[in-house]
Amino acid sequence: MAYERASKLKLIGINMILSPICNTYCNEKSHLKEHIFSDDKILASNLIYSTVKAYKDNGLITALKYFPKYYDDELYIDEDIESIENIESIIDNRETFLAGIKAQADIIVMPHIKDNYKYRDFLFNNMKFKGIIMTDYINNDKNIINYAVNVLSSNYYKDINKLKNIIETNIKETDIVLCSKLLKLIKKL
């Protein structure tokens, strides 16, 4: 199904998908419930790995959602994290995210998180994620580099001058690695 979906999307010109959802738990009334593969972590991990591979094989940019969790339709996470152990206890399902990372997902989507840099460091250092970390929750130019939001939407990458201007006016030294990752993805488009 993922391979067929990816083929159809690519055929009509869609080159990025905010999928799959790697979470295995949500409130029964959540709109997310119908998008979760399974609450069985092994089954969900296998399906996530296969889905990401199918999307990648068809040339789609993939984004795993929502790290570290998505509960009760609430995207903002304001929990106190002093240590790695605290982060570990907050993650919905480490195995499913690792399955997506192993399949070489391009992006991981995070919700609003108070200490988002701690979570980013955790993804890069502890889970060995090499891609881009973004949110689909911020929508203004001044945050475009920090959050990598909308950079891959057509109104940005089709107007290369607008994209360059946003990058140049918002770039910080710490953003250079992220900018290089974004430019590699944009080249695929």
Side-chain angles (χ1 to χ4, degrees), residues 9-59:
L9 290 173
K10 197 68 176 172
L11 190 64
I12 61 171
I14 295 173
N15 49 36
M16 178 180 172
I17 186 163
L18 293 173
S19 173
I21 292 176
C22 292
N23 306 96
T24 57
Y25 171 82
C26 71
N27 181 307
E28 283 297 316
K29 295 178 182 176
S30 171
H31 76 279
L32 191 65
K33 182 77 174 160
E34 65 190 52
H35 301 285
I36 289 175
F37 282 115
S38 173
D39 58 1
D40 177 325
K41 294 176 187 335
I42 295 170
L43 176 61
S45 296
N46 290 335
L47 291 170
I48 287 162
Y49 180 86
S50 298
T51 299
V52 171
K53 289 298 285 175
Y55 292 164
K56 300 280 293 175
D57 289 349
N58 277 282

Side-chain angles (χ1 to χ4, degrees), residues 4-167:
E4 185 177 323
R5 179 185 301 124
S7 297
K8 287 179 180 175
L9 290 173
K10 197 68 176 172
L11 190 64
I12 61 171
I14 295 173
N15 49 36
M16 178 180 172
I17 186 163
L18 293 173
S19 173
I21 292 176
C22 292
N23 306 96
T24 57
Y25 171 82
C26 71
N27 181 307
E28 283 297 316
K29 295 178 182 176
S30 171
H31 76 279
L32 191 65
K33 182 77 174 160
E34 65 190 52
H35 301 285
I36 289 175
F37 282 115
S38 173
D39 58 1
D40 177 325
K41 294 176 187 335
I42 295 170
L43 176 61
S45 296
N46 290 335
L47 291 170
I48 287 162
Y49 180 86
S50 298
T51 299
V52 171
K53 289 298 285 175
Y55 292 164
K56 300 280 293 175
D57 289 349
N58 277 282
L60 289 183
I61 294 171
T62 58
L64 308 177
K65 293 167 68 171
Y66 287 100
F67 184 86
K69 67 179 182 178
Y70 185 113
Y71 291 168
D72 301 325
D73 284 335
E74 181 55 55
L75 274 173
Y76 187 81
I77 299 172
D78 194 14
E79 297 189 31
D80 214 11
I81 51 167
E82 296 297 321
S83 65
I84 297 300
E85 291 77 30
N86 287 45
I87 294 176
E88 287 280 5
S89 70
I90 293 169
I91 299 172
D92 178 358
N93 184 5
R94 181 184 178 105
E95 292 80 16
T96 54
F97 284 98
L98 285 172
I101 291 168
K102 183 179 178 186
Q104 299 182 348
D106 301 294
I107 297 168
I108 292 181
V109 180
M110 286 196 319
H112 269 193
I113 298 175
K114 182 180 178 183
D115 295 321
N116 67 69
Y117 285 103
K118 290 181 184 178
Y119 289 94
R120 289 169 190 230
D121 289 346
F122 183 83
L123 279 166
F124 292 136
N125 300 325
N126 295 70
M127 295 181 73
K128 307 302 181 206
F129 179 59
K130 306 253 186 269
I132 295 168
I133 298 170
M134 66 171 268
T135 182
D136 57 1
Y137 221 57
I138 300 290
N139 196 21
N140 60 47
D141 289 352
K142 69 181 180 188
N143 289 322
I144 203 161
I145 301 302
N146 287 334
Y147 291 97
V149 72
N150 286 336
V151 170
L152 301 173
S153 69
S154 63
N155 58 324
Y156 287 100
Y157 74 80
K158 285 187 180 171
D159 184 349
I160 198 71
N161 291 326
K162 184 174 183 178
L163 179 60
K164 283 180 183 177
N165 182 53
I166 290 167
I167 291 172

